[in-house]
Amino acid sequence: MRMCWILNESLSAIVVLAWLGVNLFLFIDTFCRYEEDESFFYTRVILGSTLAWARASALCLNFNCMLILLPISRNLISFIRGSSMCCRGPWQRQLDKNLKFHKLVAYGIAVNATIHIVAHVFNLERFHWSQSEDARGLVAALSKLGNIPNESYLNPVRTFHTSTTTESLKTISGVTGMVISLTLILIMTSSTEFIRQSSYELFWYTHHVFIMFFLCLAVHGAGRIIRSQTPESLLLHNVTFCRHHYTKWQEAAQCPVPQFSGKEPSAWKWVLGPVVVYAWERIIRFWRFQQEVVITKVVSHPSAVLELCMKKRHFKMAPGQYVLLQCPSISGLEWHPFTLTSAPQEDFFSVHIRVAGDWTEALFKAFGAEGQAFEAPRSLPRLAVDGPYGAALTDVFHYPVGVCIAAGIGVTPFASLLKSIWYKCCESQSQLRLSKVYFYWVCRDAQAFEWFADLLLSLETRLSEQGKAHFLSYHIFLTGWDENQAIHIALHWDQNTDVITGLKQKTFYGRPDWNKEFKQIAYSHPSSSIGVFSCGPKALSKTLQRMCHVYSSVDPRGVHFYYNKESF
């Protein structure tokens, strides 16, 4: 299993190790430089090694802040996905893990920010202590520099009779550092899975304080608290000799008073490029917001599922893609992702939205779906659409065998795929590399099957007419039922069609035995590359990923399962 994991996830591991390697290199290189650089010798006399800890973590912070916006630049990722720069296969799957990389970089920011803050707390305390009467020798002499004209200071804390907090809040670096710390804490704490699931709006709004984070980051170094000896001063003031003669700096010609200056801020240079890319991303979204969207049909399905059919000029999509929706009458800022359930061959595009939060509940009410009675199209609320954007499922046609697994409303990406397959089956000249599709749907509520059963039934009929009944093998699992349903199912079990879905394939009751299913698929396709695509909860995703590792062959000529998870 470990070898199969290496074969399947080696590229992801290489990307993570490369990221860690760059962080480690930057940290160690900067740490050693500040520990050895002669221009910072007198700064180290006061601060010690915490100077190097602060500067090394600051550089790693800049590096990770440069990366954090790129994985969420959807248009950039779509461009890379569709260009020749991006290879198929393993490299393509890395783009589908953009949110995982975004979170990884966020953890890197949190770790380095913590190191940076702690180091500077010690630095301030050392600066403060060096102005006390207990400070002696070279430390005291360096702290007193700047008290007379034509002298530059090294210690930003000019008196012992103050607090470090007060001193820090008097500087640009201190104030911006406080704001950066607070915004980072707010973003990180509101990004937990519990918050995202219980109150997506809270997560969305708090995440957008990143604007304040980047503004403060850009000017954070303008205070120039950490100072070093100037190059001109180093030429006249030999540190190796003069550090032992600090009492004669004012008198000895060979040891003039050292001069110090702060380093110019550099954080803005790191983040300028990604910020411009992300700003362009928002400009494109605003442009798309202005485009008219015509709502052609609204349908309320069981289990609080709302279907919206829409039209928009020059809208082109691929199976499995998603769009971002905004309803200005509900919120003028919030955009929410939804998978497209229509096929590219249709003259409209559609989404199926399940009520799962304040925004979706408000949308459900805005379209009058509560009582099954709908308003006239002209009185429906306006919708804005951004996209479409690529997702993992768009790669399904690159595999000879596809395994599609959905849980609950997670079936929506596969609706688009199955519709597209239906249309391709209608085209006599259509040639697909995809020769076999296994479709699994695990659902708790029997009523939820209703809107999807018609699609499966039409696809089942069409494939039979084309002599391709073997092309699609679907398995529907019902995990929740009551006593009356169980009696009804038992009484009609001998019928030719399923009592719940009306399909020839009977519904299974309970959860799938994934070991059995994957073993059978591996046996049926002994030398194939099999793409596994899932949309559902994290527990299901972990199980399926493990199954892909277990049943992939170590032999390059054997069967290989490649796991892809829908995430947006």
Side-chain angles (χ1 to χ4, degrees), residues 103-392:
K103 294 175 185 177
L104 181 66
V105 173
Y107 288 129
I109 290 175
V111 170
N112 284 291
T114 302
I115 295 172
H116 189 71
I117 292 168
V118 171
H120 271 315
V121 167
F122 279 99
N123 287 339
L124 280 172
E125 289 297 331
R126 290 298 299 266
F127 277 136
H128 185 251
W129 174 84
S130 64
Q131 291 286 12
S132 68
E133 294 179 357
D134 296 330
R136 295 286 187 273
L138 182 58
V139 173
L142 291 169
S143 294
K144 288 181 173 59
L145 291 176
N147 290 337
I148 61 176
N150 299 323
E151 279 188 357
S152 58
Y153 69 88
L154 176 60
N155 188 342
V157 179
R158 304 309 301 155
T159 175
F160 180 71
H161 303 289
T162 185
S163 67
T164 53
T165 304
T166 303
E167 287 298 315
S168 64
L169 293 178
K170 289 180 180 179
T171 64
I172 295 175
S173 299
V175 173
T176 56
M178 189 73 70
V179 175
I180 290 171
S181 302
L182 291 175
T183 54
L184 184 60
I185 291 170
L186 187 60
I187 290 172
M188 295 292 290
T189 53
S190 63
S191 299
T192 60
E193 187 174 358
F194 174 78
I195 295 293
R196 291 201 314 271
Q197 291 182 352
S198 61
S199 180
Y200 183 84
E201 290 77 11
L202 177 62
F203 158 76
W204 196 93
Y205 281 113
T206 53
H207 233 61
H208 279 72
V209 298
F210 83 92
I211 298 171
M212 185 64 68
F213 177 91
F214 276 96
L215 287 174
C216 291
L217 182 68
V219 299
H220 180 60
R224 306 187 185 189
I225 290 180
I226 302 299
R227 300 163 72 83
S228 62
Q229 197 171 349
T230 63
E232 296 80 7
S233 177
L234 282 171
L235 293 174
L236 302 173
H237 183 103
N238 188 307
V239 173
T240 305
F241 173 77
C242 294
R243 62 181 174 175
H244 301 295
H245 301 83
Y246 61 88
T247 57
K248 299 179 181 179
W249 282 353
Q250 302 285 354
E251 304 168 3
Q254 67 269 34
C255 289
V257 176
Q259 299 296 316
F260 301 93
S261 65
K263 189 179 179 182
E264 291 185 3
S266 60
W268 66 271
K269 298 177 184 178
W270 288 83
V271 301
L272 179 61
V275 166
V276 170
V277 170
Y278 192 77
W280 182 246
E281 182 93 5
R282 288 307 182 101
I283 291 171
I284 293 174
R285 182 175 297 180
F286 179 75
W287 174 67
R288 288 173 176 166
F289 170 80
Q290 303 297 323
Q291 296 176 324
E292 182 184 10
V293 176
V294 179
I295 301 169
T296 59
K297 187 169 68 172
V298 180
V299 182
S300 178
H301 295 285
S303 301
V305 174
L306 179 68
E307 178 184 356
L308 299 176
C309 298
M310 296 164 280
K311 287 185 177 182
K312 183 180 178 181
R313 289 184 63 186
H314 309 301
F315 187 90
K316 295 180 181 180
M317 59 162 289
Q321 289 188 315
Y322 68 95
V323 294
L324 295 171
L325 294 184
Q326 185 196 91
C327 184
S329 62
I330 297 174
S331 172
L333 296 175
E334 294 182 48
W335 292 82
H336 293 258
F338 296 99
T339 307
L340 292 166
T341 54
S342 52
Q345 295 84 349
E346 294 174 312
D347 63 352
F348 65 91
F349 63 95
S350 64
V351 293
H352 284 68
I353 302 170
R354 179 172 62 89
V355 176
D358 296 340
W359 190 88
T360 50
E361 184 178 352
L363 187 72
F364 206 74
K365 292 177 181 178
F367 280 91
E370 292 176 297
Q372 303 284 326
F374 300 104
E375 302 175 47
R378 65 177 181 274
S379 61
L380 292 174
R382 177 177 178 264
L383 283 181
V385 176
D386 182 23
Y389 296 109

Side-chain angles (χ1 to χ4, degrees), residues 32-84:
C32 293
R33 181 153 47 88
Y34 276 88
E35 280 285 275
E36 298 169 2
D37 194 336
E38 192 176 43
S39 64
F40 283 96
F41 175 81
Y42 286 135
T43 315
R44 289 194 299 272
V45 169
I46 298 177
L47 301 181
S49 62
T50 53
L51 167 67
W53 283 97
R55 301 313 301 162
S57 57
L59 192 67
C60 290
L61 260 174
N62 291 340
F63 171 68
N64 285 286
C65 288
M66 177 187 72
L67 295 178
I68 192 71
L69 292 177
L70 297 178
I72 55 172
S73 298
R74 302 173 195 269
N75 287 291
L76 175 64
I77 293 174
S78 294
F79 172 77
I80 296 173
R81 182 189 291 276
S83 69
S84 59

